[in-house]
Amino acid sequence: MSTHPTLPQTQQPGPEAAERIAQHRRYLMCRPEHFTVSYRINPWMEPARPTDTAKALRQWQELHDTYLRLGHEVELIDPVPGLPDMVYTANGGFIIDGRALGVRFRVPERRGEERPFMDWFAAHGFEVIEPVEVQEGEGDFLLVGDTILAGTGFRSVGDSHREVADVFGREVVSLRLIDPRFYHLDTAIAVLDPVQGHSGVDRANIAYLPTAFDDHSRAVLAERFPDAIAVSDEDGAVFGLNTASDGRNVIVSPRAVGFIGQLRDRGYIPVPVDLSELLLGGGGIKCCTLELRG
Ligand code: ARG
């Protein structure tokens, strides 16, 4: 294990760091040019509270630049006036092997985003599959190995889990969310390393917030991911789980202090980026990021 003489003891990378491998990522993002909170579709949104679009843009830019600095690719979709939530591109669809399942929002306020996202996918060489059932894209579908973890309870309906299984021919594990603050799966589970066991060190490839799930889902998670990182309510409440990981670097809210320590202990490199302004809309790092799996 290599040590960093300049770092204090608490910031030394964990023993597994040398074996965590960063994988190249291609992401879709959308500049929050029209960001505001003008309606309330989750408990974080307070239309009466002022938002600062310039600040949202600065924070978003830092996330964007961090991805580039880490060697990832970022594609951009044009923001549409009147669609303030379009910055949360994770909800734009779900893409595996160049095939993009479009989104069909539960919430009417965001339906105007469905066509622009599908058009973007088509224009960029993806095969587009028009969805039948209501689901909110990568907000509720997360790929771990060959398995799709699928959330329901607030936004995506249970029938969409069957549809996503049919479309992609993969195993789907349904998980039920029970806390309205964690209304999308990507607010309660972070996929740290989608290639199961690939680092050869442990199976801590996901992190999750146990209290966000019903008893059955919690049992399923505990059984399938015995080495997962269980995150505290405190870190969950600052959207600590809404992260993007390349298998080594984990972009995470600086306010999720305990989780940052857990990540470091498991050999990941936490990269803090603050999206406090975008949290006023009920979104964070992962929400602003859609993975384009070619
Ligand atoms: N205001 C947006 C909504 O409620 C936030 C979406 C957050 N996205 C996510 N992937 N969790 O739909």
Side-chain angles (χ1 to χ4, degrees):
M1 176 191 142
S2 63
T3 50
H4 295 248
T6 50
L7 290 176
Q9 182 64 41
T10 50
Q11 286 179 27
Q12 293 285 342
E16 293 128 352
E19 295 174 63
R20 299 275 178 211
I21 302 158
Q23 303 132 43
H24 184 260
R25 297 274 186 263
R26 186 170 172 227
Y27 291 134
L28 178 63
M29 297 182 73
C30 180
R31 282 171 62 79
E33 274 168 36
H34 309 291
F35 176 73
T36 185
V37 174
S38 53
Y39 48 78
R40 181 180 163 95
I41 53 175
N42 68 57
W44 304 85
M45 300 174 86
E46 297 283 355
R49 194 168 156 185
T51 48
D52 181 341
T53 307
K55 187 174 172 191
L57 278 162
R58 278 197 308 277
Q59 293 183 333
W60 177 93
Q61 192 68 45
E62 199 198 325
L63 178 63
H64 171 273
D65 295 353
T66 300
Y67 288 140
L68 296 187
R69 187 169 54 72
L70 291 171
H72 302 307
E73 254 169 283
V74 179
E75 305 282 349
L76 296 175
I77 181 170
D78 289 335
V80 177
L83 296 175
D85 276 338
M86 202 168 161
V87 59
Y88 306 114
T89 52
N91 300 118
F94 184 58
I95 300 157
I96 304 177
D97 293 338
R99 302 178 66 230
L101 175 64
V103 60
R104 199 161 162 223
F105 281 99
R106 161 80 65 108
V107 288
E109 290 84 350
R110 296 193 65 182
R111 281 212 186 114
E113 299 176 39
E114 294 168 359
R115 195 44 57 191
F117 275 111
M118 282 190 263
D119 290 348
W120 191 94
F121 300 141
H124 290 79
F126 294 89
E127 178 197 338
V128 178
I129 299 122
E130 298 235 5
V132 177
E133 305 295 345
V134 165
Q135 44 81 8
E136 299 197 351
E138 206 167 65
D140 274 326
F141 298 138
L142 300 172
L143 185 65
V144 190
D146 282 330
T147 301
I148 297 167
L149 304 182
T152 188
F154 296 100
R155 298 291 185 85
S156 301
V157 300
D159 283 344
S160 73
H161 296 183
R162 189 187 25 76
E163 186 178 4
V164 80
D166 289 349
V167 167
F168 294 109
R170 312 250 173 161
E171 178 197 24
V172 171
V173 175
S174 288
L175 300 166
R176 181 167 292 274
L177 296 160
I178 56 165
D179 181 332
R181 289 174 301 160
F182 309 110
Y183 56 93
H184 278 140
L185 193 63
D186 69 359
T187 68
I189 293 188
V191 180
L192 302 173
D193 189 348
V195 189
Q196 215 149 359
H198 117 295
S199 62
V201 284
D202 63 19
R203 289 177 294 165
N205 57 333
I206 72 161
Y208 66 98
L209 176 65
T211 51
F213 296 94
D214 72 2
D215 291 343
H216 175 72
S217 306
R218 230 183 353 255
V220 169
L221 286 167
E223 207 214 309
R224 295 188 75 109
F225 303 100
D227 300 320
I229 298 177
V231 169
S232 70
D233 291 352
E234 223 182 340
D235 290 331
V238 292
F239 257 41
L241 282 157
N242 200 244
T243 65
S245 172
D246 63 16
R248 177 177 171 82
N249 304 288
V250 183
I251 324 289
V252 59
S253 163
R255 295 192 287 163
V257 190
F259 183 37
I260 287 174
Q262 289 173 305
L263 286 168
R264 200 173 275 130
D265 289 346
R266 301 294 189 101
Y268 292 99
I269 316 282
V271 181
V273 172
D274 187 16
L275 291 191
S276 59
E277 196 61 24
L278 290 152
L279 190 54
L280 300 178
I285 292 160
K286 178 65 194 77
C287 302
C288 294
T289 310
L290 175 66
E291 190 167 350
L292 301 169
R293 299 180 189 85

